Every structure is written in structure tokens, then in C-alpha cells.
Amino acid sequence: MQANDYSRHRVLVVEDQPFVRRTIVQILVQIGFREVAEADDGESAMYQCVRVNPDLIVCDIDMKPVSGLQFLARLRASTEAVNPRALVVFLTNHTESEIVKQAMVLGVNGFVVKPPSYAALKDRVDRLLGGR
């Protein structure tokens, strides 16, 4: 099977813990992304969505002051973001059906358990972007 080429895709990592954010960025670079933007909360993530126009957003759910769910709701309703339908993958420790349901209603594209492994993140990215 041929490896997917993600070098032309832009990705945004939204994570409030700097160590976790750096780890995710490193994994995404290993997967093959060249343009990886970062945001440390949902507020700056909206700014980055306008600035960077990501194809994929890897976002933590548990952040303050703007949570991942609030960010996703804002993104999907946004008129400023170039791509309000960007693919969004939530990083979560949650398996509570209520949070999962809310995320599905808002249009999340997938979940990866936190902290993400290379294999789990690559598998999710391949399913979403493979062949695009």
C-alpha cells in the first residue's frame, strides 16, 4: 500500500498543554504534514482558522476558557473561517456518551484517545484524508 502524501495539507493543533501540543505536532510532522499551525485554546484556534485555513484540525475537548465543543460550534457557524467544514478530530479522555453525542451533533469527524499514539493518530488521519 502506498503511503499517503500529506505535505500539501494544512493542519491546526489546538491543545492547551504545551507538552502534549508539541508531541502531537511532532507526530503530525512524522506522518508527513509540512504546515502545522498551533493554538493553545479555542479562541486563538478561531484566529488560526482564518489565518491558516487548515484542512484538518486536531483539537482537545477539555480547554478553558473556550472548550473544544464551543470552538467546533463556532467554527461550523463561522462566516470568517475560509473552511468552516474543515475536518475536526477531537482528542479526549471522555467516553461519556453525552460529550460524544454533542460533538457528533456539531459535526466532529472523529476522535482519538488522549494522549494520542503515532499509530492512533495516523490511522485516524488516513481514514479522513487518505485519498484526498
Side-chain angles (χ1 to χ4, degrees):
M1 194 174 114
Q2 187 183 338
N4 290 304
D5 177 10
Y6 296 121
S7 60
R8 62 189 174 81
H9 290 286
R10 289 177 302 280
V11 64
L12 170 62
V13 177
V14 188
E15 166 60 64
D16 56 353
Q17 297 172 345
F19 175 76
V20 177
R21 190 171 64 243
R22 274 195 307 276
T23 303
I24 295 163
V25 167
Q26 286 170 342
I27 291 172
L28 291 167
V29 168
Q30 287 172 348
I31 290 172
F33 289 95
R34 289 205 189 116
E35 289 187 57
V36 183
E38 299 178 42
D40 56 9
D41 63 41
E43 196 65 54
S44 57
M46 275 312 296
Y47 167 76
Q48 290 289 35
C49 282
V50 174
R51 193 180 77 77
V52 177
N53 183 21
D55 302 299
L56 172 69
I57 301 166
V58 179
C59 181
D60 187 19
I61 286 186
D62 290 322
M63 296 181 295
K64 296 201 173 8
V66 179
S67 74
L69 289 170
Q70 291 167 315
F71 161 71
L72 181 58
R74 253 189 228 176
L75 174 67
R76 294 299 189 230
S78 174
T79 52
E80 292 103 60
V82 183
N83 184 7
R85 309 283 340 142
L87 295 169
V88 175
V89 173
F90 274 144
L91 300 169
T92 183
N93 302 320
H94 296 287
T95 45
E96 289 111 56
S97 57
E98 202 41 56
I99 288 176
V100 170
K101 268 192 223 141
Q102 279 181 310
M104 298 298 275
V105 167
L106 292 170
V108 74
N109 300 96
F111 297 89
V112 173
V113 175
K114 213 176 153 180
S117 67
Y118 174 89
L121 205 48
K122 180 160 183 2
D123 180 58
R124 177 55 58 200
V125 167
D126 285 346
R127 281 200 227 161
L128 291 172
L129 284 176
R132 275 191 171 207

